[in-house]
């Protein structure tokens, strides 16, 4: 079976470990809205999280970045920044960003290729030659896209600054996906949606991961039009994100942090929305009848990716729902 998955970072990557073990032909459309240029290097956090996770190079403890990582370059940069003091050039040092030494090699190489005109999709393909993720990993777009966050204070910052530096503690009032309007889907993306047997929205952040992929012109239209069933798994379990601060993203766009509100945010395809089916965790079983009444194929199954076995069961459940 050909399965196409729209993925963010950690939530999507972990789900893909389970899906991959089922042996299907998997294409991943990765979020590029988290991408940022720092110190002259292009960093693609979500693509790299998928690549390292499926390539068995991810830090098990952190869930992002490399296992066995060191941060010596960052320490050196911070030492310069402290000696220089505020202003005066010290602002060039993103001390708050988890830039690891091993990870830096990926960014250096990708940036060098990109400076020579190599598209991000080709850079990703080359990097995957080493990691052998066992899936086809495509960026949603080769055009640069960056999610910016409008804050209640009136400032606008890059998503990474809000998420990593501010821990999403300062209220967001909205998101702007800079570059999305002019962007086009990367080679292979639209075909992967039309040629799929099943399309899956894994338990990724609905706003800043899947929402950003959907903002690339042509992708949402292809999902509306494709003959493949489209199913999703809730990243919200018991009215809270399992990990991270997705609640802060949902409230910024006026969506309650509940499993059924996220499904309704995507909308049922029969009524012009994006999904046909939706899985919620067993703890949220009570929302299933309401979703069914609204036209979704919905079911409650355990949705905690605690190990490969539970994650594989989730992947299997999503394909079973799609077959229905
Ligand atoms: P990010 O880019 O690293 O933030 O990762 P994603 O966007 O792919 O996924 C983030 C989402 O994954 C969060 O909103 C979490 O609630 C969700 N998530 C993480 N672990 C689990 C899990 O075990 N089960 C479910 N249902 N969701 C999870
Ligand atoms: Ca992300």
């Amino acid at each position: 079976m050909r399965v196409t998955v729209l993925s963010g970072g950690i939530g999507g990557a972990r789900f893909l470990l389970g899906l991959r073990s089922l042996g299907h032909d998997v294409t991943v459309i990765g979020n590029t809205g988290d991408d940022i240029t720092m110190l002259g290097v292009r960093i693609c956090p979500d693509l790299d999280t998928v690549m390292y996770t499926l390539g068995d190079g991810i830090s098990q403890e952190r869930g992002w970045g490399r296992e066995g990582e060191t941060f010596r370059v960052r320490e050196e940069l911070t030492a310069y920044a402290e000696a220089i003091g505020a202003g005066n050039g010290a602002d060039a040092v993103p001390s708050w960003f988890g830039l690891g030494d091993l990870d830096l090699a990926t960014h250096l190489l990708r940036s060098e290729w990109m400076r020579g005109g190599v598209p991000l999709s080709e850079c990703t393909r080359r990097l995957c030659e080493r990691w052998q993720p066992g899936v086809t990993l495509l960026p949603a777009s080769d055009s640069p896209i960056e999610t910016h966050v409008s804050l209640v204070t009136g400032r606008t910052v890059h998503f990474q600054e809000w998420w990593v530096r501010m821990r999403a503690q300062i209220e967001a009032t909205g998101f702007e996906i800079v570059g999305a309007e002019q962007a086009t889907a990367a080679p292979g993306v639209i075909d992967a949606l039309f040629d799929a047997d099943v399309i899956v929205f894994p338990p990724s952040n609905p706003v800043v991961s899947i929402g950003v992929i959907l903002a690339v012109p042509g992708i949402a239209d292809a999902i509306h039009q494709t003959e493949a069933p489209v199913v999703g798994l809730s990243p919200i379990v018991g009215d809270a994100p399992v990990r991270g601060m997705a609640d802060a993203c949902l409230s910024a766009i006026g969506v309650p942090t509940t499993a059924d509100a996220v499904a309704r945010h995507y909308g049922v395809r029969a009524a012009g929305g994006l999904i046909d089916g939706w899985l919620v965790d067993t703890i949220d079983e009570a929302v299933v009848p309401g979703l069914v009444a609204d036209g979704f194929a919905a079911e409650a199954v355990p949705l905690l990716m605690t190990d490969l076995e539970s994650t594989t069961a989730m992947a299997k459940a999503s394909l079973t729902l799609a077959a229905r």
Side-chain angles (χ1 to χ4, degrees), residues 9 31 34 46 159 209:
N31 171 40
D34 286 23
D46 285 1
F159 172 72
S209 293

Side-chain angles (χ1 to χ4, degrees), residues 223-226 228-230 266-277 291-297:
I223 293 174
H224 288 303
Q225 290 163 25
T226 183
V230 186
Y266 288 133
V268 66
R269 224 152 54 112
L274 292 157
I275 57 172
D276 304 302
L291 289 174
V292 171
D294 284 2
F296 294 92

Side-chain angles (χ1 to χ4, degrees), residues 109-110 113-114 118-128:
L109 197 51
R110 175 169 45 220
W113 288 331
M114 288 177 85
V118 179
L120 179 60
S121 52
E122 172 60 13
C123 295
T124 306
R125 192 197 64 74
R126 292 178 181 178
L127 295 169
C128 284

Side-chain angles (χ1 to χ4, degrees), residues 7-14 31 34 46 49 63-64 159 163 202-206 208-210 233-237 240-247 281 303-306 314:
S7 178
I10 299 178
R14 293 210 169 142
N31 171 40
D34 286 23
D46 285 1
T49 295
W64 55 268
F159 172 72
W163 194 253
S204 282
N205 189 309
V208 296
S209 293
I210 295 182
L233 300 92
S234 179
I236 305 301
V237 171
V242 177
R243 191 192 158 113
M245 297 85 69
D247 46 334
D281 187 79
L303 285 191
L304 291 181
M305 300 186 282
T306 41
M314 281 167 58

